[in-house]
């Protein structure tokens, strides 16, 4: 489940799958190799540098409270807090990922501004009106956008709260061969339509294409993982190790074929339109 839309996946299934990817040295090493000095423990191509630019664009500061929805091992949550001074809560379905996140955070200077919790990002158990922004990086594949945006909207406060969704989507049509290769039919279900869900909920949205940088990152990640296949098989198990690599190969091949898009959706409420 490296990525791919399947809104019918349950939170328990998400947790089970992502629990299995935690503390697998071959995966962490491959991401570290692919991301170089921008590696912060993440399971995506997003970087601390990217977050810094995003925070500057959206005017996030020490008074901003951000939910990192689907935070994984929390490297980006902590990097966001460290680089912008904001407070952040990282939420993930995977108890193992949250354990790793808490361990890595302990003792860091930003520790008092970051919390992690286990839960469903599609329906976070947080007080309404307690957040200035929601960030979902590489996590919006398995939640229903319309329902999720409805819940997130209730959590937001202030004049100009934001939702940022960064998501990879494969352009259709797809062949049965593709499906056979990935062993993951969900990858080819209709794209989760965050844009429509956000617009319908009253957000103004800006969409930016991040495909080129993602293609380069996926190339490096696949190469780094392929070199570690024996370790992946050893650490994840033979079949899951091979499946993990096969899924990343599909991402790489889809990029090579020009059928993959990585998209940043920045959505804001309260655009200050004057009533006519
Ligand atoms: C590709 S990882 C990205 C993690 C992190 N955002 C990063 O960039 O490193 C996807 C994460 O989303 C989490 N996730 C997916 N659906 C979720 C849900 N409904 N509730 C909570 N976490 C979810 C998974 O458990 C996994 O840790």
């Amino acid at each position: 489940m490296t990525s791919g839309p399947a809104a019918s996946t349950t939170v328990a299934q998400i947790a089970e799958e992502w629990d299995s990817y935690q503390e697998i040295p071959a995966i962490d090493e491959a991401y570290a190799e692919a991301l170089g000095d921008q590696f912060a423990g993440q399971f995506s191509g997003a970087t601390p540098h990217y977050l810094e630019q995003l925070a500057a664009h959206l005017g996030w500061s020490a008074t901003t409270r951000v939910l990192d929805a689907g935070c994984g091992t929390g490297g980006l949550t902590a990097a966001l807090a460290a680089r912008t001074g904001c407070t952040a809560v990282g939420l993930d379905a995977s108890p193992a990922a949250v354990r790793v996140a808490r361990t890595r955070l302990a003792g860091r200077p930003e520790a008092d501004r970051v919390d992690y919790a286990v839960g469903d990002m599609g329906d976070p158990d947080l007080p309404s009106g307690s957040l200035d922004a929601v960030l979902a990086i590489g996590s919006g594949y398995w939640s229903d956008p319309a329902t999720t945006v409805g819940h997130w909207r209730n959590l937001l406060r202030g004049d100009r709260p934001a939702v940022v969704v960064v998501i990879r989507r494969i352009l259709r049509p797809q062949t049965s061969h593709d499906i056979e290769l990935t062993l993951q039919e969900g990858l080819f279900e209709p794209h989760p339509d965050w844009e429509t869900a956000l617009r319908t909920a009253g957000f103004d949205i800006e969409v930016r294409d991040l495909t080129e940088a993602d293609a380069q990152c996926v190339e490096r990640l696949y190469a780094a993982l392929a070199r570690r296949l024996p370790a992946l098989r050893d650490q994840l198990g033979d079949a899951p190790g091979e499946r993990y690599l096969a899924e990343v190969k599909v991402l790489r091949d889809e990029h090579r074929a020009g059928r993959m898009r990585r998209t940043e959706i920045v959505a804001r409420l309260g655009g200050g339109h004057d009533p006519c």
Side-chain angles (χ1 to χ4, degrees), residues 170-185 187-188 246-247 250 253-254 257 259:
I170 296 174
L171 304 177
R172 288 170 293 153
Q174 299 296 321
T175 66
S176 55
H177 180 61
D178 293 333
I179 295 173
E180 205 180 301
L181 267 179
T182 64
L183 315 173
Q184 190 186 339
E185 297 202 18
L187 200 58
F188 302 100
E247 289 181 359
V250 170
D253 291 347
E254 292 295 337
R259 288 195 296 256

Side-chain angles (χ1 to χ4, degrees), residues 97-109:
V98 169
R99 262 197 311 276
V100 172
R102 287 180 175 144
T103 304
R104 288 184 181 165
L105 180 69
R108 290 179 54 155

